[in-house]
């Protein structure tokens, strides 16, 4: 049975970085849960920090360097993607966005993507929903329902049964990705066309 191709994109700038740590935790959980299905995974990690100069040059010249070309090919040929960015000023990093700007708009069509982010405080967690998720939806990827945000205070906590600890969120998101790849169901329910109520009817129902 052919191994799944999983590409992990990490946009952390420091070395080591919490962004790469979160990416590794999500990867490990996904590989572990797919192993329970009897499936193997080939993992390729793309460290955007190492490609920053090539990404910038690509915007000027229109031609990717060898490293960037290999990263683009890996993402294009992947069965699924884990994409993790640090949050700066309530949005994804410029390096993260620039990388996906140089990829063909059709490269991610129908591809499962698990999105995640890191930041200093929990106040920036909604950036995943108002910035990162719309980015991949625009690229027509299948964005998994659970997005994982890790603030500084989340590291080292396992959850107390009352709160949703980071390890639990990681396993839930990775489980969704593993289930989708293993063919056990869609990442999110899709309503049949006949169940969609036209907007005009919804407005009419609100009238008194």
């Amino acid at each position: 049975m052919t191994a799944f191709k999983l590409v992990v994109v990490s946009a952390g700038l420091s070395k080591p970085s919490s962004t790469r740590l979160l990416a590794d935790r999500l990867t490990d959980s996904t590989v572990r849960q797919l192993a329970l299905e009897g499936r193997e995974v080939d993992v390729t990690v793309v460290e955007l920090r190492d490609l920053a100069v090539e990404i910038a040059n690509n915007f000027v010249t229109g031609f990717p360097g060898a490293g960037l070309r290999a990263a683009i090919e890996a993402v294009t040929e992947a069965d699924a993607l884990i994409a993790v960015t640090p949050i700066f000023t309530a949005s994804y990093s410029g390096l993260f966005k620039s990388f996906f700007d140089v990829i063909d708009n059709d490269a991610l069509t129908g591809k499962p993507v698990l999105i995640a982010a890191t930041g200093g405080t929990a106040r920036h967690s909604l950036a995943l929903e108002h910035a990162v998720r719309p980015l991949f939806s625009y690229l027509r990827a299948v964005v998994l329902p659970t997005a994982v945000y890790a603030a500084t205070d989340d590291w080292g906590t396992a959850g107390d049964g009352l709160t949703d600890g980071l390890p639990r969120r990681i396993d839930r998101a990775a489980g969704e990705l593993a289930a989708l790849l293993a063919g056990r169901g869609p990442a999110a329910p899709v309503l049949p066309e006949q169940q969609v109520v036209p907007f005009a009817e919804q407005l009419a129902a609100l009238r008194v």
Side-chain angles (χ1 to χ4, degrees):
M1 193 174 292
T2 305
F4 291 119
K5 295 180 180 179
L6 176 62
V7 173
V8 183
V9 177
S10 172
L13 298 180
S14 60
K15 207 168 188 177
S17 75
S18 59
T19 300
R20 175 60 188 271
L21 178 59
L22 179 58
D24 288 345
R25 296 281 177 85
L26 288 164
T27 303
D28 291 345
S29 183
T30 302
V31 171
R32 183 175 67 251
Q33 295 188 57
L34 279 170
L36 296 176
E37 304 275 351
R39 300 304 302 268
E40 296 182 353
V41 185
D42 287 336
V43 178
T44 299
V45 178
V46 176
E47 278 277 13
L48 297 187
R49 176 180 181 273
D50 299 333
L51 298 173
V53 173
E54 289 190 41
I55 292 172
N57 286 339
N58 186 84
F59 281 108
V60 176
T61 66
F63 298 98
L68 179 58
R69 187 183 306 112
I72 292 173
E73 290 176 356
V75 168
T76 302
E77 296 172 1
D79 295 306
L81 196 67
I82 293 176
V84 191
T85 178
I87 298 300
F88 298 137
T89 54
S91 188
Y92 38 64
S93 74
L95 180 60
F96 184 81
K97 178 62 162 59
S98 295
F99 175 68
F100 288 101
D101 280 344
V102 302
I103 293 177
D104 187 273
N105 282 346
D106 296 325
L108 298 184
T109 300
K111 198 182 300 294
V113 178
L114 192 169
I115 58 173
T118 57
T121 71
R123 290 180 299 171
H124 300 301
S125 61
L126 287 179
L128 276 166
E129 301 302 329
H130 72 65
V132 183
R133 189 179 297 275
L135 168 64
F136 289 103
S137 295
Y138 173 79
L139 295 172
R140 297 183 296 280
V142 178
V143 189
L144 297 178
T146 298
V148 181
Y149 180 83
T152 301
D153 292 342
D154 285 324
W155 296 104
T157 61
D160 54 12
L162 299 176
T163 59
D164 201 8
L166 179 59
R168 188 178 304 171
R169 284 181 276 136
I170 287 172
D171 285 341
R172 183 170 67 233
E176 291 172 358
L177 181 56
L180 188 58
L181 285 172
R184 288 193 283 106
V190 178
L191 294 176
E193 186 175 351
Q194 62 268 24
Q195 292 185 15
V196 177
V197 180
F199 183 57
E201 292 183 22
Q202 296 183 49
L203 287 178
L206 296 175
R207 294 171 184 162
V208 178

